[in-house]
Amino acid sequence: MEKRFWEDLRLLNGRALKRCTPSVTAVSKMPKAGWILITFCALLVFPGMTAAREKHVDTEFLEEAIQNGMASADIIALLDQTVGAAASTGANQAVPQQLRQGLYVTAIRQSSNVILRFEVDGSGTQPRYAIAEVAVSADLGSRFLEFVKAALGTAEAIFSAAPQSAKPWELALDAQSSSGGEVTIKVEGDATGHFTVSWDIASPKRPLDSFVVPTAFGSKEAGTEHINVLVHFPITLEAFTFLRTIYVSGVSQRYQDLPLSPHTWLHLTVTNSSTDRYVVVHFDAITVNGQRLFVAEGPASTDVGGRFLNESITRMQEMLNEEAAKPASSGKWETEFYYDDPDTGVVVVAVTGEQGIFDAAYELQTPIQNVRQHGKRTVD
C-alpha cells in the first residue's frame, strides 16, 4: 500500500511539472517572472503531496482464532451462557467464561442485546484487558443457539443410525462493531460425528500506536450481525434431477417443506413466480421442539439456474469419463450459483467434484441486521 502511494504521488508530480516546464523555459530570459512561475508550480505539486499523504493512515489491529473439540452438551451449555437464554436474561451476568488459558469471554445483558467482551491476561504485573467487544441481539443469539441444538441433535441421530450418511455442516454467528472489533462464533460437525467450536476474535482497526479500550457502541455507526449456515450432502449424476426440479423453468410442482437429508432440521420450499422467469427458494430451520424458524430466502432466475445446472452436468460427465478411462486422472472442479435479496438473505448452491465423487452444498446467510445500543434493529 505504501509503495502504491509513492507511485501515485510520483505520477501526480510528474504531470504537474510537465505542465509547468514549457512555461518556465519560455520565460527563462525573464528571471523574476520565471522564479515566480516556478514557485507557483511548486505550490501546485506540494499541496497534492501533503493531501495524498494525509489520506493514507497507518492502521493496526489484533486477531486471535481458537478451536476446541467439545461434546454436544458442553457446546450447548457454553453458548447458552454467552449468546443464549442464560446470557439474554441476565442469569450469571458478567461471569467470565475461560475459552483458553488467559482468554475469556464475558456476556453482559444490555437492553435487548448481549454484549460479548473478550479479554486476555496481561503479561507480568499488567492487568487483564479487553481486545474486542461486540453486541449480539438477544433474538439472533437465541436463534443461533436453536440452530445449533437442531444441527447437533440431527447429526448425532444420523451418526448413530447410519454413520455412512453423516455429512459436514457449519453454523456461524458473526458480529461486528467499528469501535469494538469483529467476532465469529462457529460450530462445526464432520462426517465422523466430531464437533468443534471456534472463536475468531479481532480488535477494532486503529491508527498506529493508538490502542484504546474497545467498546461495542463507541461509534455512531451501528454494529451488524448475521448467521451463516453451510450444509453438505452427497449427489450423483443420476440424482442431479434434485437440483433441476428447483432451478429449471416449466416445472409446475416443486419442493414443499423438504427436509435436506442428512441435515433434516433444515427444510427447503421452492415456489414459482407469476412469470416462470424465476423461482423463490426458501429455507426454514425446525428446532428440537418443533418450532419453525426462518433462515434465508432468495429469488433465482430459471435462465441463470439452467446455465448453472448445464455446466455442472458437463463437469460431472467429463469427470466420470476421465475416471473410467484412467482412475484418479481427473482434476478437481467446482460450480457455484449465488443469489440474494437484501431483505431476506443470501443463498449459494455449489457442486464440487474430485476423483469421481460429487458433493453438493448450500451456504445460507440470514439478512444482515444493524444492532443499536437501545435494541432497535434494522436490515442493513
Side-chain angles (χ1 to χ4, degrees):
M1 187 177 291
E2 185 73 17
K3 181 180 179 181
R4 177 65 182 272
F5 164 77
W6 288 112
E7 288 175 351
D8 293 344
L9 188 58
R10 282 194 294 271
L11 181 61
L12 174 66
N13 294 345
R15 290 172 179 169
L17 290 173
K18 187 175 181 180
R19 291 195 298 268
C20 295
T21 299
S23 301
V24 173
T25 303
V27 297
S28 59
K29 295 181 180 180
M30 301 173 62
K32 184 175 181 180
W35 281 111
I36 292 174
L37 191 56
I38 289 173
T39 302
F40 173 72
C41 288
L43 291 174
L44 288 177
V45 172
F46 290 108
M49 181 187 298
T50 303
R53 180 61 185 170
E54 287 176 351
K55 290 180 181 179
H56 174 78
V57 179
D58 297 323
T59 58
E60 59 185 4
F61 62 95
L62 297 171
E63 188 169 7
E64 183 166 355
I66 63 169
Q67 184 181 76
N68 296 322
M70 300 177 68
S72 60
D74 295 330
I75 292 174
I76 292 171
L78 177 59
L79 294 181
D80 189 42
Q81 295 295 327
T82 50
V83 298
S88 61
T89 58
N92 300 321
Q93 185 174 359
V95 176
Q97 303 284 332
Q98 183 168 327
L99 302 177
R100 283 285 182 89
Q101 181 178 342
L103 176 63
Y104 311 88
V105 58
T106 303
I108 305 168
R109 178 64 186 263
Q110 185 182 101
S111 185
S112 60
N113 301 318
V114 177
I115 306 298
L116 295 178
R117 179 178 299 153
F118 294 83
E119 298 174 299
V120 296
D121 287 335
S123 59
T125 59
Q126 293 182 351
R128 185 180 299 177
Y129 62 93
I131 59 171
E133 183 181 284
V134 297
V136 176
S137 68
D139 176 67
L140 196 73
S142 62
R143 184 177 295 256
F144 177 66
L145 178 56
E146 291 303 320
F147 288 0
V148 170
K149 288 179 180 179
L152 288 171
T154 301
E156 288 184 323
I158 290 292
F159 192 75
S160 297
Q164 70 280 3
S165 300
K167 286 294 176 180
W169 56 271
E170 297 178 10
L171 287 166
L173 173 61
D174 183 87
Q176 299 184 40
S177 164
S178 59
S179 59
E182 180 177 4
V183 173
T184 301
I185 309 169
K186 182 186 293 185
V187 180
E188 299 177 76
D190 64 15
T192 67
H194 179 248
F195 307 127
T196 61
V197 178
S198 302
W199 302 79
D200 293 343
I201 308 157
S203 68
K205 186 178 291 186
R206 297 296 188 210
L208 188 65
D209 198 24
S210 301
F211 184 85
V212 295
V213 176
T215 56
F217 298 114
S219 169
K220 292 182 179 180
E221 183 180 351
T224 62
E225 62 177 5
H226 67 270
I227 295 173
N228 285 330
V229 178
L230 175 63
V231 292
H232 293 264
F233 47 94
I235 199 165
T236 63
L237 182 59
E238 293 74 18
F240 205 65
T241 52
F242 164 74
L243 291 178
R244 294 189 67 85
T245 306
I246 300 176
Y247 294 112
V248 299
S249 60
V251 178
S252 58
Q253 187 66 36
R254 301 190 188 269
Y255 294 114
Q256 179 66 37
D257 204 28
L258 175 71
L260 289 177
S261 181
H263 314 283
T264 52
W265 62 275
L266 188 63
H267 285 212
L268 167 70
T269 296
V270 185
T271 55
N272 285 317
S273 68
S274 58
T275 63
D276 198 38
R277 295 294 298 169
Y278 70 92
V279 295
V280 178
V281 185
H282 178 101
F283 295 87
D284 288 320
I286 308 301
T287 71
V288 293
N289 296 323
Q291 182 183 6
R292 182 180 298 272
L293 299 176
F294 172 74
V295 181
E297 179 184 283
S301 73
T302 52
D303 175 49
V304 179
R307 297 171 192 269
F308 161 72
L309 292 172
N310 290 337
E311 185 62 20
S312 300
I313 291 173
T314 298
R315 297 281 75 79
M316 294 173 82
Q317 189 63 66
E318 177 189 44
M319 174 168 278
L320 290 175
N321 292 340
E322 292 173 344
E323 290 295 317
K326 183 180 179 181
S329 64
S330 60
K332 296 179 183 180
W333 59 269
E334 179 178 10
T335 56
E336 190 173 282
F337 182 22
Y338 172 103
Y339 48 99
D340 69 12
D341 182 321
D343 295 329
T344 57
V346 176
V347 178
V348 182
V349 56
V351 181
T352 59
E354 182 176 359
Q355 296 186 2
I357 304 299
F358 306 119
D359 176 86
Y362 266 112
E363 183 173 1
L364 315 173
Q365 180 182 292
T366 64
I368 296 177
Q369 302 279 356
N370 287 335
V371 184
R372 302 189 183 277
Q373 188 167 8
H374 302 295
K376 296 180 180 179
R377 296 198 307 158
T378 58
V379 177
D380 190 17

